[in-house]
Amino acid sequence: MKKLVVMILAGLMLAAAPVHAQSSPDKDECLLAAKGCAGEVDSIQKQVKKLQKEIKKGNKVYTKDELQTLKRKLDEVSALLNDLNKPGGAGGGGGGR
Amino acid sequence: MKPSSKLLVLALAGALTATAAPALALENEFHGMFQLQFDDSNFNGTGNLDAAGARYTPDGKPSDAHNANFFEQRARLAYIAKANQDVKLITKFELDYSYWGNSSYTTHRNQGGALGADTVNIETKNIYLDLNNASLATNAKVGMQGVDDAFKGIFFSADMAGLLLTHDCKHLPVTASVGLFRWNDTTGKVNPFTSLGHDARDMALFDGKYKINDNTKVGLAYYFVNATHVDIMDGNGNQLIEDLTAHTTGLNFQTNVGPVTLDGFALYQFGHNGSLNQDFFTTPGVNNASRHRSAWAANVGARTKVGTGTLRSEFLYVSGDNGNGHTTNAFYTPANFGYSESGFWNNEMVILGRDKNGLTNDSAIVFDANNKNQGVYFGSVGYDHPCTDKITASVNAGFAAIAKGNQYTSVNAKTGSVNATSYLGTELNAEANYKFNDSVTFSARGGYVFLGGYYNSVAQNGETPDNPWDVKMLVNYTF
């Protein structure tokens, strides 16, 4: 019985242990997975530049899935930048967004 | 329980707790923009506009409108709460002063720009949940969100409440979106109260994109609007009824041909106006009921490098209606309170089309693709030049004419009938931008329109209105 409990316990301990993805010093873990970010948030323009720079590193540094994640983030950040400056959107002559 | 068993239970509890602890750290992102501009114009902010302040309406008014001069400002704030990369709450807010000095100690959007300020004027633009599932390759957006059509915004480009699902096919370069949006629900305002959802305006969306190769993308889109006895109100707060169905479907493309990038679309729209449907261009609204709808539009845009700059061009055609017969050829675009919830900004106009710097004071001769049911022929050519790392400049020319005259077409006060020419005017504009740093830009932009024969003798006493002009100086901070 004890052996069984110990085995279950060992299994649970393994499950509880954090799984670290392979990281490389060249990877920007803050952009990729919001890890190790400094206390401040980058401006939206800085985020665009950083993402473009990381995507350029390509397969040498990032996996295919990681590159997809970075590209999706670049699309999202670019869309937000455009959206913030979208024209119109009020009364007294408005419409749009 | 034996001490050894107790230890085991404690260890087990500890391990379970560790397993259940979430590996989440909420990430807060805060972004926004601020824009302040000074506008000097005989167009924006003058009396030569309709009740909504949107469409150029010089008919019967003095030909030489007093120049307007005003400061206008806008701030937009975005707060994004990210549980992780796949779960986000997105919120966006807007605070406008339509012009400095307008009012204080009040409660209304765009107000509070006068001495003392103290006004409740915050607008909520977006609140939605953004969910992503990598294994299903599907994204869901649920709530009040900004949505653009696949036709450069001529049909809709607006904030709307609904659900949008987007799927990236894993084995094909195809992206497909489906969505359902409730634009309005004015149950009880036109008919006696029934149940919510009965008198509503809904939109269903399908948007597919196929990447043929690195040079060419094509798309197919379909939008269905069903408006049942909806009160969209005119610019003066009077009831105005929209009662129609509209199916809009079309193809779009983008391709590179040598050094030239081409993009555009062709669409067809059909449907039916119900027995209560009204046009909103006049007060009170005029019946445009029990007619079939059949409209079409086409666009092509081109851009290419010339020297160190970029040469751009756009051409847009939208069908119009003469107001007679069992079928209307007017292109339906959604409106509310006389404003348009669509927009075509690619032609970079200041007056002839809507200005990209239009904030609360947002006016144009061709305000939307419907253009008072007249449709439009719209051509433009422009050139962007990067003068230095810090300075850029652009020049543009635009040409517009209505596609078909109808009861909303301006009337020559001398002859009592519409002018023989449908030409609205020619615009020339220029802008210069100085990039102070990554986030801050100072700009100056001016436009002048040589009015076409469409406006001959339409002003007070049969005079022809002065040619409109507009000059803006602005500063923009986006972070």
Side-chain angles (χ1 to χ4, degrees):
Chain A
M1 177 62 188
K2 265 188 187 172
K3 271 186 185 171
L4 187 66
V5 172
V6 168
M7 280 173 71
I8 293 170
L9 193 60
L12 285 169
M13 296 282 265
L14 279 174
V19 180
H20 290 290
Q22 281 204 332
S23 62
S24 140
D26 295 329
K27 287 185 184 178
D28 190 324
E29 293 288 346
C30 177
L31 281 178
L32 197 59
K35 285 178 190 169
C37 300
E40 60 192 52
V41 175
D42 289 330
S43 74
I44 200 158
Q45 295 88 349
K46 202 168 179 182
Q47 282 189 19
V48 169
K49 279 185 183 169
K50 272 185 165 180
L51 283 160
Q52 286 170 336
K53 189 180 161 192
E54 293 304 310
I55 289 166
K56 268 188 186 171
K57 291 180 182 173
N59 299 330
K60 287 178 184 170
V61 176
Y62 293 102
T63 66
K64 193 181 166 188
D65 284 347
E66 286 171 342
L67 276 174
Q68 276 302 113
T69 302
L70 289 174
K71 282 176 185 168
R72 203 182 77 226
K73 286 200 76 170
L74 180 60
D75 288 345
E76 285 173 6
V77 173
S78 303
L80 179 61
L81 182 60
N82 289 333
D83 202 45
L84 286 170
N85 284 297
K86 184 103 179 165
R97 300 242 298 271
Chain B
M1 195 180 273
K2 290 179 187 174
S4 59
S5 300
K6 275 186 186 170
L7 207 63
L8 271 174
V9 169
L10 274 172
L12 195 61
L16 281 170
T17 311
T19 313
L24 295 177
L26 192 70
E27 187 185 345
N28 300 292
E29 269 195 48
F30 194 62
H31 296 289
M33 66 79 80
F34 171 83
Q35 187 161 314
L36 170 67
Q37 58 196 32
F38 173 72
D39 196 337
D40 194 10
S41 177
N42 71 347
F43 182 74
N44 276 317
T46 70
N48 276 348
L49 306 167
D50 65 5
R55 295 162 183 81
Y56 183 53
T57 314
D59 311 64
K61 297 172 183 169
S63 58
D64 53 346
H66 290 295
N67 295 356
N69 67 86
F70 59 95
F71 287 88
E72 176 180 18
Q73 75 173 61
R74 160 170 293 173
R76 280 180 174 159
L77 303 173
Y79 167 68
I80 302 167
K82 286 186 182 175
N84 56 47
Q85 292 308 318
D86 295 324
V87 181
K88 284 173 279 186
L89 174 71
I90 296 173
T91 62
K92 292 176 195 158
F93 307 94
E94 184 175 286
L95 300 100
D96 292 324
Y97 295 140
S98 57
Y99 51 95
W100 281 0
N102 57 1
S103 63
S104 52
Y105 323 129
T106 186
T107 303
H108 204 282
R109 68 190 190 121
N110 311 323
Q111 299 300 308
L115 181 67
D118 288 3
T119 287
V120 180
N121 65 354
I122 193 163
E123 300 170 25
T124 301
K125 295 191 72 61
N126 292 163
I127 304 179
Y128 65 94
L129 186 62
D130 187 312
L131 296 169
N132 200 61
N133 186 306
S135 57
L136 293 175
T138 300
N139 176 269
K141 291 183 173 63
V142 190
M144 179 59 78
Q145 56 195 283
V147 186
D148 295 310
D149 67 27
F151 307 122
K152 298 189 181 179
I154 72 158
F155 182 42
F156 63 79
S157 172
D159 296 315
M160 56 187 78
L163 166 69
L164 180 67
L165 293 173
T166 302
H167 177 69
D168 288 319
C169 294
K170 279 192 173 171
H171 306 295
L172 283 172
V174 171
T175 302
S177 298
V178 292
L180 188 62
F181 298 87
R182 173 140 291 173
W183 281 353
N184 304 76
D185 185 347
T186 58
T187 300
K189 290 186 179 173
V190 177
N191 289 315
F193 186 82
T194 52
S195 297
L196 289 176
H198 189 79
D199 291 347
R201 178 163 61 164
D202 297 328
M203 190 270 288
L205 168 159
F206 170 80
D207 185 3
K209 289 183 176 62
Y210 175 50
K211 186 178 174 184
I212 296 172
N213 54 43
D214 285 342
N215 280 325
T216 305
K217 281 184 277 190
V218 294
L220 168 70
Y222 167 75
Y223 308 104
F224 172 56
V225 176
N226 185 18
T228 308
H229 309 152
V230 171
D231 180 9
I232 60 171
M233 289 181 275
D234 69 3
N236 294 324
N238 303 307
Q239 187 180 76
L240 200 78
I241 301 170
E242 185 168 298
D243 184 25
L244 55 82
T245 56
H247 305 260
T248 305
T249 187
L251 296 166
N252 56 70
F253 74 97
Q254 182 181 321
T255 189
N256 296 322
V257 181
V260 181
T261 300
L262 295 170
D263 60 11
F265 61 82
L267 67 82
Y268 178 65
Q269 186 181 71
F270 61 98
H272 188 259
N273 286 355
S275 59
L276 296 178
N277 191 61
Q278 293 178 301
D279 284 337
F280 64 85
F281 311 113
T282 54
T283 302
V286 175
N287 280 1
N288 187 356
S290 304
R291 298 177 78 196
H292 294 296
R293 305 194 71 97
S294 178
W296 50 95
N299 160 267
V300 64
R303 58 185 182 276
T304 187
K305 286 272 175 200
V306 173
T308 53
T310 304
L311 185 66
R312 297 174 278 100
S313 182
E314 289 279 345
F315 178 77
L316 173 69
Y317 167 74
V318 181
S319 63
D321 181 46
N322 61 12
N324 302 315
H326 296 298
T327 300
T328 172
N329 300 125
F331 179 64
Y332 168 76
T333 55
N336 246 4
F337 296 92
Y339 313 139
S340 171
E341 292 297 341
S342 61
F344 181 70
W345 289 276
N346 286 32
N347 52 15
E348 290 280 345
M349 293 289 98
V350 173
I351 296 168
L352 209 49
R354 291 173 68 185
D355 187 355
K356 66 184 175 187
N357 292 313
L359 304 179
T360 308
N361 295 281
D362 183 11
S363 317
I365 290 176
V366 181
F367 192 70
D368 57 22
N370 170 281
N371 194 25
K372 297 191 211 175
N373 288 349
Q374 299 168 117
V376 71
Y377 293 94
F378 213 144
S380 67
V381 58
Y383 184 70
D384 303 323
H385 184 64
C387 305
T388 69
D389 285 351
K390 293 274 189 184
I391 298 172
T392 58
S394 298
V395 289
N396 296 284
F399 322 90
I402 60 166
K404 201 163 275 186
N406 58 35
Q407 66 269 43
Y408 305 116
T409 299
S410 294
V411 172
N412 184 316
K414 285 181 179 168
T415 64
S417 56
V418 300
N419 287 301
T421 169
S422 57
Y423 195 64
L424 291 165
T426 305
E427 171 169 333
L428 299 176
N429 71 51
E431 77 172 65
N433 305 296
Y434 171 69
K435 202 171 175 183
F436 182 72
N437 61 30
D438 270 358
S439 304
V440 178
T441 304
F442 292 90
S443 304
R445 183 168 161 96
Y448 188 93
V449 170
F450 300 91
L451 288 176
Y454 177 98
Y455 290 109
N456 280 347
S457 304
V458 304
Q460 199 175 61
N461 302 322
E463 293 175 350
T464 299
D466 287 355
N467 288 335
W469 54 267
D470 182 83
V471 177
K472 289 187 184 81
M473 314 270 278
L474 61 98
V475 57
N476 176 290
Y477 169 47
T478 305
F479 58 95

